Amino acid sequence: RGVLSSLVYQGAGRGISPDVINSLNYISTRGYVSDATLLLDASDEVLDARIASRNAESGAYNRLDQDIALQRSTRKTYR
């Protein structure tokens, strides 16, 4: 993951201050910033179906898969 995903998941998704996230990112990356970010997007319906299929195949559930509000919030923030 990169700096932007940390801002989205931890900031918008979890409500952590962007200043705190930026400070920690700067320390952990020594100031490195990527030149580009690639975002792959799909509709909520497609994403829900992929999660359900993955969980059915593996029999294991990821706790993030169950947090629909976090998924919607992070997707909205990325867009």
Side-chain angles (χ1 to χ4, degrees), residues 9-66:
Y9 280 95
Q10 305 309 319
R14 301 285 187 207
I16 298 173
S17 163
D19 291 335
V20 170
I21 297 166
N22 284 328
S23 293
L24 293 172
N25 277 331
Y26 185 82
I27 292 167
S28 65
T29 64
R30 296 186 175 132
Y32 174 80
V33 178
S34 62
D35 292 328
T37 298
L38 179 65
L39 175 64
L40 303 176
D41 194 16
S43 69
D44 289 338
E45 295 78 19
V46 168
L47 297 172
D48 292 344
R50 291 189 66 190
I51 289 169
S53 174
R54 180 180 61 229
N55 289 338
E57 290 174 11
S58 71
Y61 292 86
N62 180 321
R63 68 180 174 81
L64 294 176
D65 289 348
Q66 298 176 7

